[in-house]
Every structure is written in C-alpha cells, then in structure tokens.
Amino acid sequence: MLLPASAVFFSGCCYGVESDILGLPTFSIYANPVETNRIPVQLIEAGMETLFFLFLHSYKGNRLYAYLAFYSIGRFLLEFWRGDPQRGIWILSISQWISIDIWFFLVLRFIQNYHHAK
C-alpha cells in the first residue's frame, strides 16, 4: 500500500481538500485551474502504512486482524480529507462504510473468541 499511495500522489490525481496550512503541496485540478494548497492524503496514507508495517513487524498477535483494525480507522479518518464527496452514500464515503463493516466484523470475532475461550 505504501508504493501505490505514493504513486497516486506523484501521478497528479486524487488531491485532498483545500487547506490554509503553509508548506502543503500546491496543486491545480481540472475543475478549478487555480493552484491551491491541498492536504496530501496519499502521502499521509503512505506514512500510515509505514507505521503499520513497523508495528506489525514485531507484533505477536493476529497480524491480519490488527492490520484491519488500524487500517480501517486510518482510512475512515483520511476519507474526511480526500475532498471528493461524490463517492459517498449519505454523509460517508464508500470506504468509510467498508471501514465500519470491518469494525463490526472484528468486534464480532472478538466476542466470538472471548466466549470460545471461556
């Protein structure tokens, strides 16, 4: 996930929302050719994936469930900064709904494992 997120950033698509924070990358998009500072969501996601890798490298538990838990939280939060509301259902994006579904699955698995261990 690190390389695709970085590649999307450098290919020049999928910019984040506009921001007044200095030092952010400046982009112009097709619909609005004026260059503005935008939150580099792809680079944040690449950094997030790097942190997940470093954490999971030494993690002794179920790495798949830990990755799903961390990634779904990170993706849910990053979707607010992507700046493309046309991809959503109601107020949340499709990716946010998938993140919620993953959390329901993980909670159900946790409950199931807890009761099975008794």
Side-chain angles (χ1 to χ4, degrees):
M1 293 295 291
L2 173 65
L3 291 178
S6 300
V8 168
F9 174 78
F10 289 113
S11 72
C13 69
C14 309
Y15 304 119
V17 296
E18 293 182 13
S19 176
D20 293 333
I21 299 173
L22 294 176
L24 290 179
T26 302
F27 300 107
S28 62
I29 55 177
Y30 180 74
N32 183 10
V34 177
E35 290 194 358
T36 59
N37 292 345
R38 297 190 176 272
I39 296 176
V41 176
Q42 303 88 353
L43 295 182
I44 295 170
E45 183 175 358
M48 180 179 77
E49 292 290 333
T50 302
L51 292 175
F52 293 164
F53 173 77
L54 294 174
F55 171 74
L56 292 175
H57 183 69
S58 62
Y59 184 69
K60 302 295 184 207
N62 188 325
R63 289 182 180 164
L64 174 63
Y65 289 168
Y67 176 79
L68 288 173
F70 289 130
Y71 182 77
S72 62
I73 290 171
R75 185 60 185 245
F76 185 89
L77 296 174
L78 286 177
E79 285 293 313
F80 287 114
W81 294 324
R82 284 184 58 92
D84 47 358
Q86 69 273 15
R87 301 179 322 121
I89 299 174
W90 296 316
I91 194 168
L92 300 177
S93 72
I94 300 292
S95 297
Q96 287 172 315
W97 287 110
I98 292 170
S99 294
I100 291 170
D101 290 343
I102 289 171
W103 265 92
F104 278 129
F105 167 76
L106 292 173
V107 167
L108 289 175
R109 291 294 296 175
F110 178 78
I111 292 170
Q112 183 182 27
N113 289 342
Y114 180 76
H115 287 299
H116 183 68
K118 280 187 167 184

